[in-house]
Every structure is written in C-alpha cells, then in structure tokens.
Amino acid sequence: MNYGHFDDKNREYVITNPKTPYPWINYLGNDDFFSLTSNTAGGYTFYKDAKFRRLTRYRYNNIPIDNGGKYFYIKDGGTTWSPGWKPVKTELDHYECRHGMSYTKFKSSKNELEAEVVQFIPIGFWGEIQKVSLKNTSSVKKDIKLFSFIEWCLWNAEDDMTNFQRNFSTGEVEVKDSVIYHKTEFKERRNHYAFYSVNETIQGFDTDRETFLGLYNDLDKPDVVGEGHSKNSLAHGWSPIASHYLEIELPPGAEKELIFMLGYVEVEKDQKWESKLVINKQPAQKMISAFDTTEKVDRALEELRIYWDNLLGKVSIKSKDPRLDRMVNIWNQYQCMVTFNMSRSASFFESGIGRGMGFRDSNQDLIGFVHQIPERARERIVDIASTQFEDGSCYHQYQPLTKKGNAAVGGNFNDDPLWLILSTTAYIKETGDYSLLEEMVPFDNDASRAKPHFEHLKASFYHVVENLGPHKLPLIGRADWNDCLNLNCFSEDPNESFQTTENEKGGVAESLMIAGLFVVYGKEHVKLCRQIGKDKEADEAQLYVEAMIDAVEEHGWDGEWYLRAYDHFGKKIGTSENEEGKIFIESQGWCSMAEIGKDKGMVEKSLNAVKEHLDCDYGIVLNYPAFTKYYIEYGEISTYPAGYKENGGIFCHNNPWIMIAETQLGRGDRAFEYYSKIAPSYLEDLSELHKVEPYVYCQMIAGKEANKPGEAKNSWLSGTASWNFYAITQYILGIRPDYQGLIIDPCIPKAWDGFRMIRTFREATYDIDISNPDHVSKGIKQIFVNGNPLEGNLIPLLAKGKVHQIKVVMG
C-alpha cells in the first residue's frame, strides 16, 4: 500500500494519507537552528544541541505515537480540525503533506475551508517560520477561530523530563502584544530566551498548559478550543506553553495569510533587561520584523530553494531509471546533509539526549557531503581531530554545543582513529586543499598540545600498529565499528551498559574488520604521504600495511570467508566451526575492499559466501546464523532476538561495503542488485511492511531470521546515507575524485545502455556521457575530453569556470 508519491520536479515527497505506518518526518534548518516535523505536525525545535538548547517539548515512545508538536486548531462553527490532521484527528476532506528540501507544507480542507501551513527556517536564521493561509471556498461567510499551540521545553531536555520537583517551579513567560516569550531561568545563568509570535493582533492567549488543555484532557480536545476562547493564562512554574487566539472573518472566496515565528535569542549579559525582570525584547522584535509580511517570507523560501539548487547541483545523473535518479539527485544527497548536521543525535529514534557527535560517525558522514560544502567539511574534520589524544585514541563522541569530547558512551573503540584518514583524504581529493595537513589542531581540545593535522593522521595510523594481538591483528578494544561486539566485557548485570562497563584486563580480542580497515586506509595514508613528498614515511607505513596483509592471510581466513575476530581468550569468531554466527559481513566487506588475498581467490570466495549465506530479499544480513542464546564472551550482539539489529539484522550501513567490493571484482549486476534492495525509492511499494519513510535510508531492516523480515527501524540518521551515496556515485557509476583529477571507472549492470552525470569538481563542470554499446559491466574502451582522446581513465584537472564535455565508451 502506498501512502503518497514522489514529486521529482519539486523535489518533494507528497503524503496523501496521514496514517502512515510510522511518522514520516522532515528536517528544517541548515546551519545551527533546526526543527523536526512529522507528516502530522509533530516534532520539536532546538538551537545547536537537542539536549541543552531544546525550545519545545517532545515525548518519545508516547501513546499515541508522535503526540506533541507545533499545532493549529481551527474552529469553524461546530467543527474543529487541524491542517496536519493531528492533534484533533478530524477526518479531512483533503489532506496533503509535502516534505521538501528543508521545508514542509500541509494543505488540507474541511467543509469548504482550505488551510495551508508552510514550515521552514530561513538560511542563517534562528527562527522557524509558519506561514498559515486560510481560504473560504464556500458561498457563505465564515467566522473562524484559530488557536496556535506549542509547549516550551525547559531548555535541558534530559533535566526537563526528570527533575520535576524543580522544574514545576521554574517556568516563566512574558506576553506583549502578539508575542509570547519564554524566559525560564533567564534571570539566573542563561543569556537566551525563546518567543512565539504572529503578525496580527490577537484576541487572546494562553501560556499555562493545564489551563489551555484541562488537567485530564489530551491534545485533541483542549478546554480552551472547546469553549471557543482563550483564558489569557500566565504560567508561573508548572508547564509553560504558547497559544495565540485569533478571530478571523472570511467572506466567500476570501483568503487570510498569517506569519507565525518560533524564535531563539541570545543577548549579552549587560543587555539582558529592558527594566526590572522585563527581558530585552529588541533582538526578538528585529527578528520578527524581518519576516512580518508574506512577501518577505516568500522571498526567504525562494532563497532556500536556490540554496538547495546549488547544493544538489554539484552531482546529478540522468539514467533510464527514475528511482535511481531521484535517490542520487535528491534524497540521498539531502539525507547526507541532514546527517552531517545531526550526526546521530536527534531523530524520531534518537532522542537528542543520549548521544552527541560521533568520532567515527562524523568522519564517515563526511564522504556524503564533502562535494556540497567543502569548507564546512574542513571545519568538521578539525572539530573531530581536536577530540583525539596524542596516542591516536579519541573520545568516541563530542557535544555539538561545546565541541568538547565526552566519555558518556565509553571510549577505546579501536576502529575510531582510522576513520580520520578516510575523511581527510576524501576532503583533499575533492578540493585539492593540502593546507589542512599543516593546520595546527589541538589534542583533547587543548590548544597548548596542538600539532599539524598530519600528525593526527600519523597518530591514527600508528594507534593500530601499536595495539596488535598475538596474531598480529588489531586489538578490538572496547569494540570496533560494531559497538555490540563486546569481546572484553563479560556483562552479567542487566543495569549496566555494554559500551561503558569496565572491560576485563588482559584480553587478546582481535578484529579482522579493523585489519581490513587498516589495509584500506593504510594504503590511503601511504598514498597521501607520497603526494606531499614524505616518501620515507610512506615506505615505513607500507611495511606495516604489508605485514597486516600477511597476518590476515595467515590467521584471518576460514577457508571460504574471512574470520570476524578472535575473542578474549584467542578463540575464533565467524568461523564455520561455530554453531551460530559462522559468517559476518564486516570483515568480508573490509578485507575484500582491501583486496587481501585477491590473487589467491580469497576475495571472490568471500563475496560468494556473502551471497550464499548473508543475502536475502531485503538486503545483506550482518551475521548468520543469528544467535539464539546469550554468549557472555560476545556481549550485546547476542542479546537481540534473531534477525534484529546487529544479530542477523540487515544493518544497511555495511551493505555498501559489499557493493564496493563487488565493483572491484567487476560484478556490476550483483553490486546494483544489492544497492536496489535497500535504496528507499525502490521500496515504496513495500511501505506497509517497511514502515519508515520511503525517501530516506534507515539503519536497520529486519533480517531473514526475524519475526517480520523486511520491517525497518531507525530512519534518517545513519551512516547508511553517506556510504550508499559513496558506493553508487564513486564505484557503481564509478566517477571518483582523486588527487590529480577524476577517475572514470563505472561498474554497472550489463543491461544498461549507459548514463550521464554532471559533476562539479574543483570549480569546473564535467558533463560526462557514458555509453555501454557492448553491454559490459566494467571496462573503458575510449574516453574523449572536449573531443580529444585521453589515455587511461584519469581525467586531469580542467579549466575552472567552464563546462567540459566528456565522452566515455565502455567495452
């Protein structure tokens, strides 16, 4: 069953049934002020950090789901309804939610009254605009009563939901004209307040939740709306809200437009007060005046469209498959940008409280957006590297508000440091900006311990070299990329975290996944060293890479596939000798991408084993057979039911590693088969089963041993987005930035006639037309650059500011 459709021309997903299988959401904001909004107007808003600067309240795991948001109540005679369907849930004559690029539009109607709500955050602005349009399509006059509603969060979202004995006594508001100000704790230690305004004289307001709703009512039937007028309540403690009340007369055919703004203000300490206990409202008034007319709002919305035109125009393709085109041109790139902004912090599956920006996460995310905003990619790399220690280890996460590392989810994940080599080399290949390597970057955010960024890369490389186990394979530490493979934990206490509990000493658990990762990015480190003239360092590093290859060939091969690990006691994991968990995806992906033992047939055997044992209708599962009992020496991975998450689930993040490895073998049909199994636009007809949004990737799809194979969870914030964009554009479509130019190396299904990609690279535009007359998967017969034949498949750097015609013939 479908719940909507793609509108590729307008870059929107159009939802036509509000009762989606799960809330389908969008993100507003592009810099440091953000909102999450669902297809029924649920969600919340925050500045920079969803934990410490949350403006509006949201309750996760609620009943009914997705209760709480930015709502409007329309009272038209005896009928009350909402443009987003919720919270009132009156059956509408027409409902439509259009999720676009950083904006969402609701367009609904009931009893010949049309309502449209457009939500967006102007570029570089600390406020969300809600343009509300009401139109009377009947032949009689309508007297409408409109109520807005938001619920303020008391800033710290974690404290807000736990420390009730204090928070029920701290809420403070001010109301002046048509603006409701939230100033809780402003007179103490805060220099910020929030406000909710409308550009029209109001007939009333409410700021106390109990007064507005009634103590025993839900959001669908507030007392104030039922009675048809506000009570002008002023919150003192308890739970402050903001609700405007407007009476609107609409003659037949008449239309009324209103501009609501939810804003955030910071002021200097000596400018906090207008008079005693009266806040300085000038910054808020300045913000309100910037968007107090429809013309100003429409202009800002057009600027937002142009902004996304520019971002999405850096890479675009034209194939014969609209599902592929919309993923590459629109939704995959859009999700990569959202994930860059959020990391794993705030979605409808991540509360914004428990996690900051991940070290490994943010490094990997960069490969999906570096082509769009390279200057911010560079800034992100420096932020990440600044949370590293001199020995190469690092904080696993850091807070977006302070950019300081934190150990809230543990440390010593031994794969973490290597991802810095990925992000740095990806950035330099895209931009040619080697100056990053000379920038002085702190260790542990301590400027006195700063060294050139290149020294951070060396520290990352040698952290592996200096932490090897008895098989000369990398020690896993607390865990590797798979946080749930906790080989040194041995947890028997259900109240402790597998990731933060103190690991047992003296273990020799080793990771084949890190071994493959080290070879891939060890080679990249060597290549970078040679690029900058550090040949001696390159030669030394190459010896360690070769030693790792030897160690994997000798101790990491099980006969038909690569082992996954050695446990705390030196026993094999991911071997045919095991009863459960015989084969894992991570080591097959990384050791195959590293091409370890390729000349011996190991890579081909490994990938064949993936197809035989791990593949299913909905993607490639993480391990097989799934664990059916708790293995204390394996940790959290064996706590999940079979087929879910890391225990035999389809962890979409790692599927592209197999896709890339398949392209390196030249098997384009299989690579694209894996791609299309998890790409959202190919799953639209499965929406009832899949549940989450059909326009963005999710983290996990239930695997073949699950109770409900194909059901997905944890959409939006996942490394899946960047890795799939990387795999499809750079390895399947095969147009890949390198230090000296663009590599052309497609590996596509044999049935394809070809495709076209327009790629902006180092301020030049490459219009690349690839034809496949012989219907091969891989191989280049001829390349013409602006009509001239080219030797090899590396297009050199071409003149900036011009469009260059590239003709590629496969064969």
Side-chain angles (χ1 to χ4, degrees), residues 740-800:
Q740 306 303 330
L742 276 180
I743 293 173
I744 308 296
D745 186 25
C747 186
I748 60 177
K750 294 183 179 72
W752 284 18
D753 295 321
F755 63 93
R756 180 186 178 198
M757 178 184 286
I758 297 176
R759 177 66 154 89
T760 300
F761 179 64
R762 309 237 188 130
E763 301 180 52
T765 300
Y766 295 69
D767 188 343
I768 306 166
D769 183 76
I770 296 180
S771 62
N772 187 22
D774 297 335
H775 289 279
V776 299
S777 276
K778 196 176 180 75
I780 301 295
K781 184 182 292 183
Q782 185 67 67
I783 297 179
F784 296 90
V785 178
N786 293 325
N788 301 310
L790 175 76
E791 289 294 322
N793 68 338
L794 174 67
I795 303 175
L797 299 176
L798 301 176
K800 297 179 180 180

Side-chain angles (χ1 to χ4, degrees), residues 128-143:
E128 176 185 328
I129 305 296
Q130 300 160 351
K131 186 176 81 167
V132 178
S133 305
L134 299 171
K135 185 176 182 179
N136 180 4
T137 60
S138 76
S139 58
V140 298
K141 179 172 74 72
K142 284 181 176 287
D143 292 307

Side-chain angles (χ1 to χ4, degrees), residues 6-9 11 312 315-334 672 675 679 681-682 695 697 725 728-729 733 752 754-758:
F6 287 96
D7 180 347
D8 295 334
K9 181 180 178 182
R11 296 194 300 239
L312 299 179
V315 172
S316 63
I317 68 162
K318 179 66 176 175
S319 73
K320 293 184 177 179
D321 187 345
R323 296 170 299 180
L324 174 62
D325 292 358
R326 69 172 58 113
M327 284 311 303
V328 173
N329 298 341
I330 306 170
W331 292 101
N332 198 172
Q333 292 195 70
Y334 181 54
F672 193 76
Y675 172 81
S681 63
Y682 290 80
Y695 43 92
Y697 285 98
F725 186 75
I728 187 65
T729 58
L733 301 177
W752 284 18
F755 63 93
R756 180 186 178 198
M757 178 184 286
I758 297 176

Side-chain angles (χ1 to χ4, degrees), residues 268-414:
E268 298 295 328
K269 277 188 176 182
D270 60 353
Q271 297 176 8
K272 289 175 66 170
W273 303 105
E274 178 180 303
S275 58
K276 186 176 181 181
L277 297 183
V278 177
I279 61 175
N280 176 5
K281 301 178 180 62
Q282 287 185 358
Q285 291 299 324
K286 184 177 180 181
M287 290 176 65
I288 293 166
S289 65
F291 297 102
D292 56 2
T293 67
T294 299
E295 292 74 22
K296 293 177 182 178
V297 168
D298 290 346
R299 189 159 55 244
L301 196 56
E302 176 64 12
E303 289 172 356
L304 186 65
R305 184 192 66 77
I306 294 170
Y307 172 82
W308 279 101
D309 282 347
N310 292 333
L311 285 180
L312 299 179
K314 304 290 178 65
V315 172
S316 63
I317 68 162
K318 179 66 176 175
S319 73
K320 293 184 177 179
D321 187 345
R323 296 170 299 180
L324 174 62
D325 292 358
R326 69 172 58 113
M327 284 311 303
V328 173
N329 298 341
I330 306 170
W331 292 101
N332 198 172
Q333 292 195 70
Y334 181 54
Q335 186 180 3
C336 285
M337 279 295 295
V338 169
T339 307
F340 156 67
N341 285 322
M342 299 291 118
S343 188
R344 308 296 178 270
S345 63
S347 71
F348 269 32
F349 295 88
E350 298 280 7
S351 68
I353 293 173
R355 301 180 69 177
M357 310 289 279
F359 190 97
R360 80 158 73 101
D361 297 333
S362 295
N363 276 304
Q364 292 176 86
D365 292 343
L366 187 135
I367 63 177
F369 71 84
V370 63
H371 65 288
Q372 295 176 312
I373 46 170
E375 67 285 351
R376 292 185 70 189
R378 176 178 172 139
E379 178 187 346
R380 176 60 56 83
I381 291 170
V382 172
D383 288 347
I384 298 166
S386 298
T387 65
Q388 191 176 29
F389 300 102
E390 283 94 338
D391 68 353
S393 64
C394 53
Y395 286 103
H396 194 52
Q397 292 185 355
Y398 68 96
Q399 286 303 128
L401 190 67
T402 64
K403 297 186 178 180
K404 297 288 182 69
N406 71 72
V409 290
N412 300 318
F413 295 81
N414 280 353

Side-chain angles (χ1 to χ4, degrees), residues 556-575:
W557 184 247
D558 195 54
E560 298 295 326
W561 57 78
Y562 301 99
L563 297 175
R564 177 60 178 90
Y566 285 89
D567 71 12
H568 185 86
F569 307 105
K571 296 179 181 178
K572 296 176 183 177
I573 296 175
T575 169

